[in-house]
Amino acid sequence: MKLQIIILVLAAVVIVECGHLFVGTNINRPMVYHHNAKYDAKLFRKRVENLHYVLPQVPSTIGKSIQGILAYDKTHSTASANITQGGIWFTFVNLRMKSERVNKLNYDVYIYV
Ligand SMILES: *[C@@H]1O[C@H](CO)[C@@H](O)[C@H](O)[C@H]1NC(C)=O
């Protein structure tokens, strides 16, 4: 029991230290979208990119909303990702990703419904 708590706390720390973002749940949720958002570094500057996703209106997603969003920072840097519009319970999401100065952006984005 205690160990589980410690592991959870550690996981939270790791998630904060790297620029991962995870909201909602993906338990038993089908993944509807996967995208590797990759951008080269900008000289002397931070790279800021937006990713906009709208649930397609196909039979398997009609009437559903986004239930889980995972943005995995593959650069393991202090890059960050935030949801600026929509998100959980919405049918769309806008994700804003920001790199470290002079570093590239590389996020694996997964969306579950
Ligand atoms: C996300 O929000 C945090 C806290 O408000 C901020 O420090 C960070 O720069 C933001 N990142 C992006 C990509 O907007």
Side-chain angles (χ1 to χ4, degrees), residues 30-56:
M31 187 176 76
V32 288
Y33 182 69
H34 171 227
H35 178 68
N36 183 210
K38 226 169 148 181
Y39 302 93
D40 289 333
K42 267 192 185 166
L43 208 56
F44 310 124
R45 293 218 284 158
K46 293 185 183 185
R47 179 122 213 178
V48 179
E49 297 292 338
N50 284 279
L51 185 139
H52 196 73
Y53 173 76
V54 181
L55 265 188

PDB file of all heavy atoms in Angstrom, residues 30-56:
ATOM      1  N   PRO A  30     -11.017   3.296 -26.843  1.00  0.00           N
ATOM      2  CA  PRO A  30     -10.319   3.136 -28.111  1.00  0.00           C
ATOM      3  C   PRO A  30      -9.532   4.408 -28.480  1.00  0.00           C
ATOM      4  O   PRO A  30      -9.989   5.523 -28.226  1.00  0.00           O
ATOM      5  CB  PRO A  30     -11.445   2.875 -29.114  1.00  0.00           C
ATOM      6  CG  PRO A  30     -12.652   3.466 -28.488  1.00  0.00           C
ATOM      7  CD  PRO A  30     -12.463   3.392 -27.000  1.00  0.00           C
ATOM      8  N   MET A  31      -8.366   4.203 -29.045  1.00  0.00           N
ATOM      9  CA  MET A  31      -7.570   5.342 -29.500  1.00  0.00           C
ATOM     10  C   MET A  31      -8.099   5.760 -30.866  1.00  0.00           C
ATOM     11  O   MET A  31      -8.279   4.921 -31.747  1.00  0.00           O
ATOM     12  CB  MET A  31      -6.111   4.909 -29.616  1.00  0.00           C
ATOM     13  CG  MET A  31      -5.194   6.057 -29.928  1.00  0.00           C
ATOM     14  SD  MET A  31      -3.485   5.507 -29.940  1.00  0.00           S
ATOM     15  CE  MET A  31      -3.447   4.686 -31.510  1.00  0.00           C
ATOM     16  N   VAL A  32      -8.413   7.029 -31.010  1.00  0.00           N
ATOM     17  CA  VAL A  32      -8.956   7.476 -32.288  1.00  0.00           C
ATOM     18  C   VAL A  32      -7.940   8.289 -33.085  1.00  0.00           C
ATOM     19  O   VAL A  32      -8.153   8.582 -34.260  1.00  0.00           O
ATOM     20  CB  VAL A  32     -10.234   8.320 -32.110  1.00  0.00           C
ATOM     21  CG1 VAL A  32     -11.394   7.445 -31.685  1.00  0.00           C
ATOM     22  CG2 VAL A  32     -10.026   9.461 -31.117  1.00  0.00           C
ATOM     23  N   TYR A  33      -6.858   8.653 -32.421  1.00  0.00           N
ATOM     24  CA  TYR A  33      -5.907   9.516 -33.105  1.00  0.00           C
ATOM     25  C   TYR A  33      -4.523   9.329 -32.527  1.00  0.00           C
ATOM     26  O   TYR A  33      -4.350   9.255 -31.306  1.00  0.00           O
ATOM     27  CB  TYR A  33      -6.343  10.970 -32.913  1.00  0.00           C
ATOM     28  CG  TYR A  33      -5.489  12.005 -33.596  1.00  0.00           C
ATOM     29  CD1 TYR A  33      -5.478  12.113 -34.991  1.00  0.00           C
ATOM     30  CD2 TYR A  33      -4.720  12.887 -32.855  1.00  0.00           C
ATOM     31  CE1 TYR A  33      -4.707  13.069 -35.620  1.00  0.00           C
ATOM     32  CE2 TYR A  33      -3.945  13.864 -33.476  1.00  0.00           C
ATOM     33  CZ  TYR A  33      -3.947  13.945 -34.859  1.00  0.00           C
ATOM     34  OH  TYR A  33      -3.191  14.899 -35.475  1.00  0.00           O
ATOM     35  N   HIS A  34      -3.561   9.226 -33.414  1.00  0.00           N
ATOM     36  CA  HIS A  34      -2.166   9.217 -32.988  1.00  0.00           C
ATOM     37  C   HIS A  34      -1.383  10.064 -33.965  1.00  0.00           C
ATOM     38  O   HIS A  34      -1.523   9.917 -35.173  1.00  0.00           O
ATOM     39  CB  HIS A  34      -1.589   7.795 -32.963  1.00  0.00           C
ATOM     40  CG  HIS A  34      -0.109   7.807 -32.733  1.00  0.00           C
ATOM     41  ND1 HIS A  34       0.760   7.073 -33.477  1.00  0.00           N
ATOM     42  CD2 HIS A  34       0.637   8.524 -31.854  1.00  0.00           C
ATOM     43  CE1 HIS A  34       2.002   7.313 -33.065  1.00  0.00           C
ATOM     44  NE2 HIS A  34       1.954   8.198 -32.090  1.00  0.00           N
ATOM     45  N   HIS A  35      -0.610  10.964 -33.433  1.00  0.00           N
ATOM     46  CA  HIS A  35       0.169  11.823 -34.308  1.00  0.00           C
ATOM     47  C   HIS A  35       1.508  12.118 -33.661  1.00  0.00           C
ATOM     48  O   HIS A  35       1.574  12.398 -32.473  1.00  0.00           O
ATOM     49  CB  HIS A  35      -0.597  13.136 -34.551  1.00  0.00           C
ATOM     50  CG  HIS A  35       0.155  14.095 -35.407  1.00  0.00           C
ATOM     51  ND1 HIS A  35       0.409  13.848 -36.745  1.00  0.00           N
ATOM     52  CD2 HIS A  35       0.725  15.284 -35.126  1.00  0.00           C
ATOM     53  CE1 HIS A  35       1.097  14.863 -37.233  1.00  0.00           C
ATOM     54  NE2 HIS A  35       1.307  15.749 -36.284  1.00  0.00           N
ATOM     55  N   ASN A  36       2.550  12.024 -34.461  1.00  0.00           N
ATOM     56  CA  ASN A  36       3.867  12.382 -33.960  1.00  0.00           C
ATOM     57  C   ASN A  36       4.141  13.814 -34.418  1.00  0.00           C
ATOM     58  O   ASN A  36       4.398  14.064 -35.581  1.00  0.00           O
ATOM     59  CB  ASN A  36       4.920  11.399 -34.502  1.00  0.00           C
ATOM     60  CG  ASN A  36       6.312  11.675 -33.955  1.00  0.00           C
ATOM     61  OD1 ASN A  36       7.296  11.408 -34.620  1.00  0.00           O
ATOM     62  ND2 ASN A  36       6.409  12.228 -32.752  1.00  0.00           N
ATOM     63  N   ALA A  37       4.008  14.738 -33.478  1.00  0.00           N
ATOM     64  CA  ALA A  37       4.228  16.161 -33.775  1.00  0.00           C
ATOM     65  C   ALA A  37       5.716  16.450 -33.613  1.00  0.00           C
ATOM     66  O   ALA A  37       6.235  16.475 -32.503  1.00  0.00           O
ATOM     67  CB  ALA A  37       3.400  17.023 -32.836  1.00  0.00           C
ATOM     68  N   LYS A  38       6.367  16.641 -34.735  1.00  0.00           N
ATOM     69  CA  LYS A  38       7.817  16.769 -34.744  1.00  0.00           C
ATOM     70  C   LYS A  38       8.209  18.049 -35.466  1.00  0.00           C
ATOM     71  O   LYS A  38       7.798  18.272 -36.609  1.00  0.00           O
ATOM     72  CB  LYS A  38       8.371  15.570 -35.529  1.00  0.00           C
ATOM     73  CG  LYS A  38       9.520  14.871 -34.894  1.00  0.00           C
ATOM     74  CD  LYS A  38       9.750  13.587 -35.635  1.00  0.00           C
ATOM     75  CE  LYS A  38      11.208  13.233 -35.622  1.00  0.00           C
ATOM     76  NZ  LYS A  38      11.437  11.990 -36.367  1.00  0.00           N
ATOM     77  N   TYR A  39       8.956  18.866 -34.802  1.00  0.00           N
ATOM     78  CA  TYR A  39       9.386  20.117 -35.428  1.00  0.00           C
ATOM     79  C   TYR A  39      10.846  20.359 -35.096  1.00  0.00           C
ATOM     80  O   TYR A  39      11.284  20.103 -33.982  1.00  0.00           O
ATOM     81  CB  TYR A  39       8.563  21.292 -34.900  1.00  0.00           C
ATOM     82  CG  TYR A  39       7.084  21.145 -35.107  1.00  0.00           C
ATOM     83  CD1 TYR A  39       6.290  20.595 -34.108  1.00  0.00           C
ATOM     84  CD2 TYR A  39       6.489  21.544 -36.294  1.00  0.00           C
ATOM     85  CE1 TYR A  39       4.926  20.439 -34.289  1.00  0.00           C
ATOM     86  CE2 TYR A  39       5.130  21.392 -36.487  1.00  0.00           C
ATOM     87  CZ  TYR A  39       4.354  20.848 -35.480  1.00  0.00           C
ATOM     88  OH  TYR A  39       3.011  20.693 -35.664  1.00  0.00           O
ATOM     89  N   ASP A  40      11.577  20.879 -36.058  1.00  0.00           N
ATOM     90  CA  ASP A  40      12.991  21.173 -35.840  1.00  0.00           C
ATOM     91  C   ASP A  40      13.162  22.321 -34.864  1.00  0.00           C
ATOM     92  O   ASP A  40      12.259  23.128 -34.674  1.00  0.00           O
ATOM     93  CB  ASP A  40      13.652  21.561 -37.167  1.00  0.00           C
ATOM     94  CG  ASP A  40      13.775  20.362 -38.076  1.00  0.00           C
ATOM     95  OD1 ASP A  40      13.856  19.236 -37.550  1.00  0.00           O
ATOM     96  OD2 ASP A  40      13.769  20.558 -39.300  1.00  0.00           O
ATOM     97  N   ALA A  41      14.348  22.393 -34.293  1.00  0.00           N
ATOM     98  CA  ALA A  41      14.652  23.479 -33.352  1.00  0.00           C
ATOM     99  C   ALA A  41      14.736  24.805 -34.099  1.00  0.00           C
ATOM    100  O   ALA A  41      15.039  24.848 -35.291  1.00  0.00           O
ATOM    101  CB  ALA A  41      15.962  23.187 -32.652  1.00  0.00           C
ATOM    102  N   LYS A  42      14.445  25.855 -33.366  1.00  0.00           N
ATOM    103  CA  LYS A  42      14.604  27.198 -33.920  1.00  0.00           C
ATOM    104  C   LYS A  42      15.841  27.793 -33.278  1.00  0.00           C
ATOM    105  O   LYS A  42      16.039  27.653 -32.069  1.00  0.00           O
ATOM    106  CB  LYS A  42      13.405  28.066 -33.546  1.00  0.00           C
ATOM    107  CG  LYS A  42      12.314  28.060 -34.571  1.00  0.00           C
ATOM    108  CD  LYS A  42      11.330  29.153 -34.266  1.00  0.00           C
ATOM    109  CE  LYS A  42      10.149  29.102 -35.216  1.00  0.00           C
ATOM    110  NZ  LYS A  42       9.055  29.933 -34.728  1.00  0.00           N
ATOM    111  N   LEU A  43      16.634  28.449 -34.061  1.00  0.00           N
ATOM    112  CA  LEU A  43      17.860  29.037 -33.537  1.00  0.00           C
ATOM    113  C   LEU A  43      17.521  30.114 -32.507  1.00  0.00           C
ATOM    114  O   LEU A  43      16.734  31.012 -32.796  1.00  0.00           O
ATOM    115  CB  LEU A  43      18.634  29.633 -34.715  1.00  0.00           C
ATOM    116  CG  LEU A  43      20.153  29.699 -34.581  1.00  0.00           C
ATOM    117  CD1 LEU A  43      20.735  28.310 -34.294  1.00  0.00           C
ATOM    118  CD2 LEU A  43      20.749  30.258 -35.855  1.00  0.00           C
ATOM    119  N   PHE A  44      18.080  29.995 -31.331  1.00  0.00           N
ATOM    120  CA  PHE A  44      17.942  30.971 -30.228  1.00  0.00           C
ATOM    121  C   PHE A  44      16.522  31.122 -29.688  1.00  0.00           C
ATOM    122  O   PHE A  44      16.263  31.983 -28.872  1.00  0.00           O
ATOM    123  CB  PHE A  44      18.442  32.361 -30.636  1.00  0.00           C
ATOM    124  CG  PHE A  44      19.786  32.358 -31.258  1.00  0.00           C
ATOM    125  CD1 PHE A  44      19.992  32.895 -32.515  1.00  0.00           C
ATOM    126  CD2 PHE A  44      20.866  31.789 -30.585  1.00  0.00           C
ATOM    127  CE1 PHE A  44      21.244  32.876 -33.100  1.00  0.00           C
ATOM    128  CE2 PHE A  44      22.126  31.756 -31.155  1.00  0.00           C
ATOM    129  CZ  PHE A  44      22.318  32.299 -32.416  1.00  0.00           C
ATOM    130  N   ARG A  45      15.590  30.344 -30.209  1.00  0.00           N
ATOM    131  CA  ARG A  45      14.222  30.574 -29.774  1.00  0.00           C
ATOM    132  C   ARG A  45      13.533  29.302 -29.332  1.00  0.00           C
ATOM    133  O   ARG A  45      13.914  28.213 -29.692  1.00  0.00           O
ATOM    134  CB  ARG A  45      13.438  31.197 -30.927  1.00  0.00           C
ATOM    135  CG  ARG A  45      13.930  32.597 -31.239  1.00  0.00           C
ATOM    136  CD  ARG A  45      12.806  33.476 -31.589  1.00  0.00           C
ATOM    137  NE  ARG A  45      12.313  33.228 -32.931  1.00  0.00           N
ATOM    138  CZ  ARG A  45      11.106  33.556 -33.337  1.00  0.00           C
ATOM    139  NH1 ARG A  45      10.255  34.098 -32.503  1.00  0.00           N
ATOM    140  NH2 ARG A  45      10.718  33.324 -34.562  1.00  0.00           N
ATOM    141  N   LYS A  46      12.461  29.511 -28.570  1.00  0.00           N
ATOM    142  CA  LYS A  46      11.610  28.386 -28.221  1.00  0.00           C
ATOM    143  C   LYS A  46      10.664  28.161 -29.381  1.00  0.00           C
ATOM    144  O   LYS A  46      10.246  29.108 -30.030  1.00  0.00           O
ATOM    145  CB  LYS A  46      10.807  28.702 -26.956  1.00  0.00           C
ATOM    146  CG  LYS A  46      11.683  28.812 -25.736  1.00  0.00           C
ATOM    147  CD  LYS A  46      10.857  28.992 -24.493  1.00  0.00           C
ATOM    148  CE  LYS A  46      11.769  29.164 -23.301  1.00  0.00           C
ATOM    149  NZ  LYS A  46      11.034  29.231 -22.041  1.00  0.00           N
ATOM    150  N   ARG A  47      10.343  26.926 -29.575  1.00  0.00           N
ATOM    151  CA  ARG A  47       9.424  26.594 -30.655  1.00  0.00           C
ATOM    152  C   ARG A  47       8.027  26.404 -30.055  1.00  0.00           C
ATOM    153  O   ARG A  47       7.865  25.637 -29.112  1.00  0.00           O
ATOM    154  CB  ARG A  47       9.919  25.301 -31.302  1.00  0.00           C
ATOM    155  CG  ARG A  47       9.072  24.818 -32.397  1.00  0.00           C
ATOM    156  CD  ARG A  47       9.863  24.692 -33.659  1.00  0.00           C
ATOM    157  NE  ARG A  47       8.968  25.005 -34.744  1.00  0.00           N
ATOM    158  CZ  ARG A  47       9.315  25.040 -36.020  1.00  0.00           C
ATOM    159  NH1 ARG A  47      10.545  24.823 -36.366  1.00  0.00           N
ATOM    160  NH2 ARG A  47       8.438  25.331 -36.939  1.00  0.00           N
ATOM    161  N   VAL A  48       7.051  27.104 -30.574  1.00  0.00           N
ATOM    162  CA  VAL A  48       5.684  26.938 -30.087  1.00  0.00           C
ATOM    163  C   VAL A  48       4.815  26.501 -31.257  1.00  0.00           C
ATOM    164  O   VAL A  48       4.810  27.149 -32.307  1.00  0.00           O
ATOM    165  CB  VAL A  48       5.132  28.251 -29.478  1.00  0.00           C
ATOM    166  CG1 VAL A  48       3.699  28.053 -29.008  1.00  0.00           C
ATOM    167  CG2 VAL A  48       5.998  28.692 -28.308  1.00  0.00           C
ATOM    168  N   GLU A  49       4.141  25.378 -31.078  1.00  0.00           N
ATOM    169  CA  GLU A  49       3.294  24.870 -32.147  1.00  0.00           C
ATOM    170  C   GLU A  49       1.940  24.472 -31.574  1.00  0.00           C
ATOM    171  O   GLU A  49       1.856  24.028 -30.435  1.00  0.00           O
ATOM    172  CB  GLU A  49       3.934  23.642 -32.813  1.00  0.00           C
ATOM    173  CG  GLU A  49       5.254  23.906 -33.509  1.00  0.00           C
ATOM    174  CD  GLU A  49       5.120  24.783 -34.748  1.00  0.00           C
ATOM    175  OE1 GLU A  49       4.010  24.854 -35.315  1.00  0.00           O
ATOM    176  OE2 GLU A  49       6.133  25.393 -35.139  1.00  0.00           O
ATOM    177  N   ASN A  50       0.912  24.629 -32.378  1.00  0.00           N
ATOM    178  CA  ASN A  50      -0.427  24.217 -31.970  1.00  0.00           C
ATOM    179  C   ASN A  50      -0.868  23.014 -32.783  1.00  0.00           C
ATOM    180  O   ASN A  50      -0.563  22.924 -33.972  1.00  0.00           O
ATOM    181  CB  ASN A  50      -1.422  25.358 -32.196  1.00  0.00           C
ATOM    182  CG  ASN A  50      -1.279  26.407 -31.124  1.00  0.00           C
ATOM    183  OD1 ASN A  50      -1.799  26.256 -30.025  1.00  0.00           O
ATOM    184  ND2 ASN A  50      -0.532  27.458 -31.419  1.00  0.00           N
ATOM    185  N   LEU A  51      -1.565  22.129 -32.112  1.00  0.00           N
ATOM    186  CA  LEU A  51      -2.131  20.981 -32.813  1.00  0.00           C
ATOM    187  C   LEU A  51      -3.627  21.015 -32.557  1.00  0.00           C
ATOM    188  O   LEU A  51      -4.058  21.039 -31.405  1.00  0.00           O
ATOM    189  CB  LEU A  51      -1.508  19.695 -32.262  1.00  0.00           C
ATOM    190  CG  LEU A  51      -1.893  18.404 -32.972  1.00  0.00           C
ATOM    191  CD1 LEU A  51      -0.673  17.538 -33.093  1.00  0.00           C
ATOM    192  CD2 LEU A  51      -2.988  17.665 -32.253  1.00  0.00           C
ATOM    193  N   HIS A  52      -4.388  21.071 -33.616  1.00  0.00           N
ATOM    194  CA  HIS A  52      -5.839  21.117 -33.471  1.00  0.00           C
ATOM    195  C   HIS A  52      -6.425  19.810 -33.972  1.00  0.00           C
ATOM    196  O   HIS A  52      -6.118  19.371 -35.068  1.00  0.00           O
ATOM    197  CB  HIS A  52      -6.407  22.300 -34.259  1.00  0.00           C
ATOM    198  CG  HIS A  52      -7.811  22.615 -33.852  1.00  0.00           C
ATOM    199  ND1 HIS A  52      -8.116  23.218 -32.655  1.00  0.00           N
ATOM    200  CD2 HIS A  52      -8.991  22.373 -34.460  1.00  0.00           C
ATOM    201  CE1 HIS A  52      -9.435  23.343 -32.555  1.00  0.00           C
ATOM    202  NE2 HIS A  52      -9.986  22.835 -33.631  1.00  0.00           N
ATOM    203  N   TYR A  53      -7.244  19.195 -33.148  1.00  0.00           N
ATOM    204  CA  TYR A  53      -7.861  17.936 -33.535  1.00  0.00           C
ATOM    205  C   TYR A  53      -9.365  18.008 -33.315  1.00  0.00           C
ATOM    206  O   TYR A  53      -9.829  18.454 -32.266  1.00  0.00           O
ATOM    207  CB  TYR A  53      -7.280  16.779 -32.710  1.00  0.00           C
ATOM    208  CG  TYR A  53      -7.994  15.472 -32.952  1.00  0.00           C
ATOM    209  CD1 TYR A  53      -7.758  14.756 -34.115  1.00  0.00           C
ATOM    210  CD2 TYR A  53      -8.927  14.990 -32.048  1.00  0.00           C
ATOM    211  CE1 TYR A  53      -8.434  13.574 -34.372  1.00  0.00           C
ATOM    212  CE2 TYR A  53      -9.609  13.798 -32.295  1.00  0.00           C
ATOM    213  CZ  TYR A  53      -9.354  13.103 -33.462  1.00  0.00           C
ATOM    214  OH  TYR A  53     -10.033  11.940 -33.710  1.00  0.00           O
ATOM    215  N   VAL A  54     -10.111  17.602 -34.319  1.00  0.00           N
ATOM    216  CA  VAL A  54     -11.566  17.537 -34.216  1.00  0.00           C
ATOM    217  C   VAL A  54     -11.977  16.099 -34.470  1.00  0.00           C
ATOM    218  O   VAL A  54     -11.518  15.480 -35.428  1.00  0.00           O
ATOM    219  CB  VAL A  54     -12.234  18.463 -35.264  1.00  0.00           C
ATOM    220  CG1 VAL A  54     -13.752  18.395 -35.136  1.00  0.00           C
ATOM    221  CG2 VAL A  54     -11.754  19.895 -35.109  1.00  0.00           C
ATOM    222  N   LEU A  55     -12.824  15.574 -33.590  1.00  0.00           N
ATOM    223  CA  LEU A  55     -13.308  14.200 -33.760  1.00  0.00           C
ATOM    224  C   LEU A  55     -14.027  14.077 -35.092  1.00  0.00           C
ATOM    225  O   LEU A  55     -14.945  14.852 -35.370  1.00  0.00           O
ATOM    226  CB  LEU A  55     -14.324  13.854 -32.659  1.00  0.00           C
ATOM    227  CG  LEU A  55     -13.860  13.149 -31.397  1.00  0.00           C
ATOM    228  CD1 LEU A  55     -15.090  12.760 -30.579  1.00  0.00           C
ATOM    229  CD2 LEU A  55     -13.014  11.943 -31.690  1.00  0.00           C
ATOM    230  N   PRO A  56     -13.661  13.118 -35.910  1.00  0.00           N
ATOM    231  CA  PRO A  56     -14.383  12.958 -37.178  1.00  0.00           C
ATOM    232  C   PRO A  56     -15.780  12.412 -36.904  1.00  0.00           C
ATOM    233  O   PRO A  56     -15.984  11.681 -35.939  1.00  0.00           O
ATOM    234  CB  PRO A  56     -13.525  11.941 -37.938  1.00  0.00           C
ATOM    235  CG  PRO A  56     -12.802  11.185 -36.883  1.00  0.00           C
ATOM    236  CD  PRO A  56     -12.605  12.133 -35.718  1.00  0.00           C
TER     237      PRO A  56
END
